[in-house]
């Protein structure tokens, strides 16, 4: 069975700071990996996904993630955050159903 | 194309009552998934359905919980005799295949 762990429970940073959220998964087979974001009061939205190919994946709103197979990691990054990036971020492994990490709450201070 | 619809958005039930949560998938999507998010936790898979079939219910509690996705109409997640521990946000997702899932806004169930 697959599992996902997210290293940070809550991250607080200032606007223009760089963001990196850790995600590690355990799964023996071919993985499909996702990052979802949940803005306050809204439903989950897909930020980016990795199925195969280039391990550096570009997503919406300036986010990117790098799949490192040897480390079983799929960390999310954004070079310069904005106040509007305040949200909860979920990493997930997909094997027809999604297995989510516990989520990381990101608070960006203006 | 409307997104995944869930209703009600908020549901309050007293202990022992029944809760019915509805999910209308996106047009053309025949795969429906239900997830539960408990306070301070990530989403946990509950059940995966295709039209008229339950494909995987490995995440569903063995008692009181049931799900269906009839040929016509929305998918229903039903919780009988609710208890306080059932209080959570319940999310539905749909997909046209086994790939990317699109989430609804969720139903927040509060059991008093």
């Amino acid at each position: 069975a697959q599992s996902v762990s997210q290293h940070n429970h809550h991250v607080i940073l200032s606007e223009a700071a760089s963001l990196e959220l850790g995600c590690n998964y355990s799964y023996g087979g071919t993985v499909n990996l996702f990052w979802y974001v949940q803005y306050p009061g809204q439903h989950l939205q897909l930020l980016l996904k990795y199925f195969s190919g280039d391990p550096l994946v570009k997503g919406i709103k300036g986010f990117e993630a790098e799949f490192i197979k040897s480390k079983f990691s799929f960390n999310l990054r954004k070079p310069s955050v904005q106040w509007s990036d305040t949200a909860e971020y979920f990493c997930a492994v997909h094997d027809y159903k999604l297995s989510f990490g516990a989520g990381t709450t990101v608070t960006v201070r203006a | 194309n409307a997104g995944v619809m869930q209703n009600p958005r908020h549901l309050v039930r007293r202990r022992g009552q029944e809760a019915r949560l509805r999910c209308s998938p996106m047009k053309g999507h025949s795969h429906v998934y239900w997830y539960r998010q408990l306070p301070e936790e990530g989403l946990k898979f509950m059940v995966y359905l295709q039209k008229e079939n339950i494909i995987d219910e490995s995440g569903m509690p063995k008692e009181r919980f049931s799900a269906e996705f009839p040929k016509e109409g929305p998918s229903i997640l039903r919780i009988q005799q609710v208890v306080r521990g059932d209080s959570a946000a319940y999310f539905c997702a749909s997909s046209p295949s086994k790939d990317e899932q699109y989430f609804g806004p969720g139903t927040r169930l509060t059991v008093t």
Side-chain angles (χ1 to χ4, degrees):
Chain A
Q2 59 271 46
S3 67
V4 179
S5 65
Q6 292 183 237
H7 311 308
N8 312 97
H9 182 64
H10 194 181
V11 172
I12 302 173
L13 58 167
S14 301
E15 277 193 312
S18 65
L19 173 69
E20 181 161 359
L21 302 181
C23 171
N24 285 93
Y25 64 92
S26 64
Y27 184 57
T30 301
V31 289
N32 297 327
L33 294 155
F34 296 77
W35 275 97
Y36 282 87
V37 61
Q38 188 175 24
Y39 297 103
Q42 297 188 27
H43 59 278
L44 275 86
Q45 301 173 38
L46 181 68
L47 267 181
L48 47 78
K49 61 185 177 183
Y50 172 80
F51 282 7
S52 64
D54 188 344
L56 185 61
V57 180
K58 303 284 186 184
I60 60 171
K61 303 187 181 186
F63 285 91
E64 65 178 30
E66 185 174 11
F67 170 58
I68 303 179
K69 188 175 181 180
S70 61
K71 295 184 178 180
F72 298 92
S73 70
F74 190 56
N75 292 355
L76 181 73
R77 297 193 292 254
K78 185 169 182 177
S80 177
V81 295
Q82 301 171 309
W83 176 81
S84 58
D85 293 322
T86 295
E88 191 156 15
Y89 293 81
F90 295 95
C91 181
V93 172
H94 177 266
D95 175 24
Y96 77 82
K97 63 189 179 188
L98 288 165
S99 296
F100 286 88
T104 298
T105 301
V106 173
T107 302
V108 180
R109 291 179 171 159
Chain B
N1 187 6
V4 178
M5 310 286 283
Q6 287 188 250
N7 68 82
R9 294 291 305 276
H10 300 274
L11 181 62
V12 179
R13 286 286 178 267
R14 286 195 292 272
R15 280 180 295 171
Q17 291 185 319
E18 178 180 283
R20 280 183 178 245
L21 288 63
R22 294 175 188 78
C23 169
S24 297
M26 290 178 69
K27 188 177 180 181
H29 288 193
S30 59
H31 301 248
V32 166
Y33 310 79
W34 284 93
Y35 296 86
R36 176 166 66 174
Q37 184 178 27
L38 293 168
E40 305 298 321
E41 294 186 21
L43 284 81
K44 303 291 186 190
F45 168 79
M46 298 182 75
V47 62
Y48 163 39
L49 309 104
Q50 293 182 29
K51 281 288 186 182
E52 300 184 276
N53 290 306
I54 296 174
I55 307 302
D56 180 352
E57 56 181 349
S58 59
M60 287 272 275
K62 293 287 184 279
E63 297 177 349
R64 303 186 297 107
F65 284 72
S66 62
E68 62 178 12
F69 188 18
K71 188 176 180 180
E72 301 291 336
S75 175
I76 306 287
L77 179 67
R78 183 182 176 207
I79 312 172
Q80 295 178 288
Q81 299 175 310
V82 296
V83 301
R84 287 224 173 103
D86 297 332
S87 294
Y90 293 82
F91 290 93
C92 169
S94 74
S95 68
S97 63
K98 288 185 178 180
D99 294 327
E100 183 177 335
Q101 296 176 22
Y102 297 81
F103 282 81
T107 294
R108 276 151 183 81
L109 172 66
T110 302
V111 179
T112 61

